[in-house]
């Protein structure tokens, strides 16, 4: 296998679930006075998950709802820290999970390009030099100087996509195959992702649709109850997976 | 760019490095808070100047007569205390809310966890500077003297800002873990407003109360700003020492508490 880009070693993510919800200080204090301590149970959203992904691979991730797919993506995109184990990334990650994260409704599209760019870790200078390209790709046109609150949801997603993918990332993370904007933009965005893929970007896709996984991914990871159930060639994993679902 | 979840520095250092890396984001958010607040109003940014002035006029009419004999130029006394108080309490209150507001973003994408808190304090800092301008207008209007003691003010402002940041970090952490800490804080703040010599002089307090004042941190933080402005003298060494220690220790504790809990925030919010 080529150079390793993503590596997970025994990654465990543990959520602490209180048996009773104690959201307020008042209740907590009452319990403390009554010497009734809050009891917790631990819930492992991910259990000792290990795998590695090489440069340029396209990996599908499948599993039922609540299996831990989103937690896996979050731990890779460093939103949450693993409770145990290690996540190693080589390269910049472009999470296409939340397009336009942190957009400010009152600000114009142009101002939000800078804001979202900063959220993604780009410098102002960098964004300024790429501003025209981002605006052109998004196809927002003259509305770029109107507040985001006047945008349709498709326009917001288009602008978010244009910012997040303007520079080729080493790693692209997607939750379901993108369906951003209208048919034309979907074609354009898919073309850009494929172009990055050909140029060596690694892609992770979470999907419930076996067709899109088998179309795009050479390897697939199957997650069940927080455990890595299977990893291997997409056809093999999908075969096992579909057998597992009572139809 | 490389990321290794194991090879991180200790949280209090890591967060500092990351905040520095994302400093442009902090400036942007600070600016956006400022812009958003007044964007849709006719007078716009002018409100920031007018607000403390109008507040002072109301309070000066209400209480001016009461303290006329003990305090000359009462509006200057009032305003210098009031803007300091507002800076500290408004930033802390706002940052507790911002944790809930910016919290959504913390769950979606990686940004330094303290981003919103620092931005809110930055915004409060700018507001504070603008209200100092309002205060200068009042000072000039009333012909209150401006003397060399005013050169001490940058130091006072620094102390107050450091304290506010530390306090905001502490309370924001609390607000994530206990949803009602915002309400508790609001009630406490209301009580403290009247327990702190802001609208009245400390000398009007009964003697056994002034001992209690020694335990009120807001008292020192307001005095460190008010004395150079109102009394045109330098604060004494004790006051400088106490308020500096107060500010620095609050920031240190706030920073350590916040960063040690920072990894849990994405789970909790």
């Amino acid at each position: 296998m080529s150079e390793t880009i993503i590596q997970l070693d025994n990654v465990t993510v543990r959520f602490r679930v209180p048996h009773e919800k104690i959201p307020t200080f008042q209740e907590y204090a009452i319990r403390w006075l009554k010497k009734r301590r809050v009891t917790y149970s631990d819930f492992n959203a991910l259990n000792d998950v290990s795998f590695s992904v090489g440069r340029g691979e396209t990996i599908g991730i499948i599993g039922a709802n609540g299996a831990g797919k989103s937690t896996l993506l979050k731990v890779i995109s460093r939103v949450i820290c693993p409770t145990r184990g290690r996540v190693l990334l080589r390269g910049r990650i472009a999470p296409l999970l939340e397009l336009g994260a942190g957009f400010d409704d009152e600000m114009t599209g142009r101002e939000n390009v800078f804001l979202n760019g900063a959220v993604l870790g780009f410098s102002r200078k960098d964004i300024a030099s790429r501003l025209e390209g981002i605006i052109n790709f998004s196809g927002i046109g003259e509305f770029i100087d109107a507040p985001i609150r006047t945008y349709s949801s498709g326009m917001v997603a288009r602008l978010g996509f244009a910012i997040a993918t303007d520079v080729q990332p080493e790693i692209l993370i997607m939750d379901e195959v993108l369906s951003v904007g209208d048919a034309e933009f979907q074609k354009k965005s898919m073309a850009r992702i494929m172009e990055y893929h050909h140029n060596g970007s690694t892609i992770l896709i979470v999907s419930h649709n076996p067709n899109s996984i088998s179309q795009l991914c050479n390897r697939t990871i199957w997650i069940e109850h927080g455990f890595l159930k299977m990893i291997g060639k997409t056809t093999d994993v999908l075969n096992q997976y579909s057998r597992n679902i009572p139809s | 760019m490389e990321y290794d979840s194991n090879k991180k520095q200790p949280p209090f250092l890591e967060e500092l490095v990351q905040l520095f890396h994302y400093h442009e984001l902090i400036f942007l958010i600070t600016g956006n808070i400022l812009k958003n607040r007044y964007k849709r109003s006719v007078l716009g940014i002018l409100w920031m100047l007018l607000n403390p002035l109008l507040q002072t006029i109301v309070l000066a009419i209400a209480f001016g007569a009461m303290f006329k004999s003990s305090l000359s130029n009462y509006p200057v006394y009032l305003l210098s205390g009031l803007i300091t108080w507002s800076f500290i309490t408004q930033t802390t209150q706002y940052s507790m809310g911002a944790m809930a507001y910016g919290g959504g973003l913390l769950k979606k994408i990686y940004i330094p966890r303290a981003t919103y808190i620092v931005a809110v304090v930055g915004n409060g800092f700018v507001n504070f500077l603008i209200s100092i301008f309002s205060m200068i207008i009042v000072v000039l209007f009333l012909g209150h003297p401006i003397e060399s003691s005013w050169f001490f003010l940058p130091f006072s402002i620094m102390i107050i800002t450091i304290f506010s940041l530390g306090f905001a970090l502490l309370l924001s952490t609390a607000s994530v873990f206990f949803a009602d800490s915002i309400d508790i804080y609001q009630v406490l703040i209301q009580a403290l407003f009247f327990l702190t010599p802001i609208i009245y002089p400390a000398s009007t307090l009964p003697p056994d109360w002034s001992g209690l004042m020694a335990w009120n941190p807001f008292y020192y933080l307001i005095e460190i700003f008010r004395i150079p402005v109102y009394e045109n003298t330098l604060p004494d060494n004790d006051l400088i020492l106490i308020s500096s220690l107060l500010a620095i220790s609050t920031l240190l504790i706030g920073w350590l508490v916040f960063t040690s809990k920072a990894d849990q925030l994405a789970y909790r919010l």
Side-chain angles (χ1 to χ4, degrees), chain B residues 190-238:
Chain B
Q190 208 132 54
L192 262 174
F193 178 74
F194 293 105
L195 289 174
T196 310
I198 298 167
I199 53 175
Y200 57 85
S203 56
T204 57
L205 284 174
D208 23 327
W209 279 64
S210 46
L212 211 65
M213 219 28 70
W215 295 97
N216 182 352
F218 291 98
Y219 170 71
Y220 301 104
L221 293 157
I222 285 172
E223 287 295 286
I224 196 94
F225 183 79
R226 181 149 63 192
I227 287 174
V229 171
Y230 183 70
E231 292 174 18
N232 279 309
T233 55
L234 289 178
D236 61 43
N237 289 337
D238 281 357

Side-chain angles (χ1 to χ4, degrees), chain A residues 13-15 23-26 28 74-75 77-83 85-92 95 98 101-102 104 106-107 111 114-115 118-124 149, chain B residues 1-8 14 18 21-22 24-25 28-29 31-33 35-36 39-40 101 105-111 113 116 177-181 184 263 266-268:
Chain A
V13 172
R14 176 173 301 154
F15 289 97
T24 66
F25 182 74
Q26 182 195 339
Y28 190 86
K74 277 187 176 170
V75 95
S77 54
R78 59 190 289 215
V79 173
I80 51 180
C81 256
T83 315
R86 177 187 199 196
V87 178
L88 197 71
L89 304 176
R90 290 206 181 83
R92 192 176 69 82
E98 299 284 350
D104 190 323
E106 292 292 320
M107 301 281 137
E111 289 170 313
F114 286 99
L115 183 61
V119 165
L120 295 169
F122 293 112
S123 74
R124 186 175 182 82
R149 71 183 139 85
Chain B
M1 239 168 64
E2 195 157 310
Y3 164 66
D4 182 346
S5 63
N6 274 8
K7 227 189 271 164
K8 280 198 302 192
E14 170 73 14
Q18 292 299 340
H21 182 74
Y22 279 81
E24 286 183 326
L25 176 61
L28 272 174
I29 296 177
N32 287 355
I33 300 171
K35 279 192 224 163
N36 275 345
K39 200 162 206 176
R40 291 199 186 182
Y101 157 73
L105 195 55
L106 292 182
K107 269 164 90 175
K108 290 174 183 169
I109 196 165
Y110 174 79
I111 52 167
R113 325 284 176 186
Y116 274 89
F177 287 87
F178 300 107
D180 56 356
S181 39
I184 293 174
D263 279 340
Y267 293 78
R268 290 266 187 171

